[in-house]
Amino acid sequence: MAILIENHSETQFSWLTRLVPTRMEFKQIHPKNSILRFLSFVFLCCFINISFAENMSVNNQFLNLSIEELMNVKVVNVTSVSRRSQKLTEVASAIFVITQDDIRRSGVTSIPEALRMAPGVQVGRISSDKWAVSIRGFNGFSSSKVQVLIDGRSDYSPLIAGTLWAQQDTFMEDIERIEIIRGPAATVWGTNAVNGIINVITKKASDTQGALLTAGGGSFEQGFFGARYGGKINEETPFRIYAKVFTRDNTKSLSGLNKSDQWHSARGGIRLDHTRGIDDLTLHGEFFYNSLGHTLSPSVINLLNTAADSRGHQEGGYMRFRWDRTFSEQSSLLLQASYDNNHYEISPFSAYKAQSVDIDFQHRFPLFKRHDLTWGAHYRLNSNKVFNTEIVTFSPQQSANHFYSLFVRDEITLIPNHLLFTLGTRLDHNDFTGFEVQPNARLMWTPNTENSVWMAVSRAVRTPSRLEHDAVVSTSFGSGRLGPVPIQAMLQGLSNFDSEKLLAYELGYRHQFSERASIDIAGFINDYSQLRDFSFGALALSSGLPQQFVLPILPTNKASALTYGFEVSADWKPLDRWRLQSNYSYLAMDISSNEQFKQFDPATGGADKVSPQHQFSLRSNYDISEKLQVNLWLRYTSKVAFYNIPDYVTMDAKLAYKPVKNIELFLVGQNLFSESHREFVSEIIPSTPALIPRGIYVGARWHF
């Protein structure tokens, strides 16, 4: 930790002084805020003092393990880098794992909130049901350069080039871990895995036997209930069924009015696993319904006959089948097929129906003595029908897009247990831009068990969305009057819009100080070309009534960017019952784009002012006794200048008490340092900015 502070100026870390207001500051700060900050500081001091206390054994699955053992718990199951289990010393990639224990102790209630634990990941809450999530920059509602998967099933939508986080939810207690790869992963996962991937991996049915009930509620998390039951058809066929419902409150606008974005959600599913000899089969299905809303911003969009406040709904589900055949530790087959169906409608902005079919095949086998070869094929069909609205129209309204790919990856052992070289490439074909090639080369050097160094060079592409190809969007940017005739600016998609491209250079280092302490450092330089930019088209007079001039705004591929930065994460266990985890992320971006649109386009032209340059996180998990746990999470995010959002520091806290073995009672406080704060604004849905409130909720969990 001292290393991090020494390398940054006092100005950059001046936010630390906000934890304890000075005498003069107490006069200006609301009494409640002063008390909360002071108590939080005292709370932290108490934990620092506890570090000198006597050790005592605690019956906890993770805190009783050494750091090395904790790393092994994560590493044995890390599969996202090469789609097979690997030890950490074999992973030539910047990867971070969020475990179920991390999720439970943090008190988070959604996947985006959990992702704040990972270094290099930018998370900004937009409203009650919307988030912006990115990796290493270019943050936005669509998250266009990040591939999001649940159990290896892609949730990337070619309609908007991104992920709808309200749709990508699940029963949080069923998540085994979340693996986050920072940096390109296109050779393994295909197009759009440009800046990284997020793979949510759920538990096997055999690990969720028995019954589980959880319920609670509070201020912002107004109420939630979840239930799960796991059983067995026979010894080889375990299953689970589950359901969850919740209601989250409205956020407020900057003027203090409700944004009409209260979120009601219901979700349920079933998973069935079967093992027969060397074969493992999985059938997993889920359905959901969301009731959501927003308040449109007239400063961003022209509202003619439309009310600013509106409600809508989202519903759908998926079915996934997976077959694994394991011949040996080095030879296996994988076949996964899935079907998704969802319907989204939120007037007056958008309404559509979408379906997708995804088929994935992989074969791994040893070649000669030093080669570990993996090859595979992938097919995806996305079919969607868009219903035109006053704001957005598509032509054609209905479309089916096909994606094909082949990949090969060879892990070459140059020096056994010390030097591993990985070379691979992926050949993709899509209906928007045709063929794309995405090669990758990685080198891992492990001189001893305490140290490892890795480096990588990768190429990745982000394919266009239907929004960029087929849509026309009404906007207030560039609107005005030419004499007595009004001018209406329209964002118009172009069929010749091309893929965005990235050439990435990465370097990483891991060190195990002892059984109780480790550090992970990763640095990168990303060179982007053919990024999306905008230009004005020719002004034309409309043919309909009332007459107006139409000013087209057209997408181009003329922007470029050079970004660089590093992430540091540390894990320290000063006592058997106390674990500290911290990380720091630095990001610098240099964007070259059309100057006319820098103030209009947060996705590219203004991207350097959208992603925070500095992020810091510190988590403290402490077991006071076998029955009582206290968990604290301090976070700092630097300013988001594009939206005039200042930097902020906040803290979450969770107090958990187990009166008996299978029952846990908990009290959670979120965003404790202020009554509310701003985090992000959507660049796609033109809604008014939201204030993210402080929240407190209580709950209980019963496993039997």
Side-chain angles (χ1 to χ4, degrees), residues 191 428-436 461-464 469 495-501:
T191 54
D428 291 90
H429 181 274
N430 66 85
D431 289 346
F432 296 110
T433 64
F435 284 100
E436 303 285 359
V461 302
R462 196 275 290 183
T463 55
H469 259 237
S495 59
N496 62 352
F497 182 71
D498 206 353
S499 294
E500 299 180 332
K501 297 173 175 60

Side-chain angles (χ1 to χ4, degrees), residues 502-506 523-527 562-565:
L502 166 66
L503 187 60
Y505 308 89
E506 299 176 89
F524 64 93
I525 299 174
N526 287 348
D527 186 2
L562 182 69
T563 71
Y564 58 92

Side-chain angles (χ1 to χ4, degrees), residues 522-536:
F524 64 93
I525 299 174
N526 287 348
D527 186 2
Y528 299 88
S529 60
Q530 296 184 224
L531 292 179
R532 188 188 69 194
D533 204 354
F534 292 100
S535 65
F536 286 116

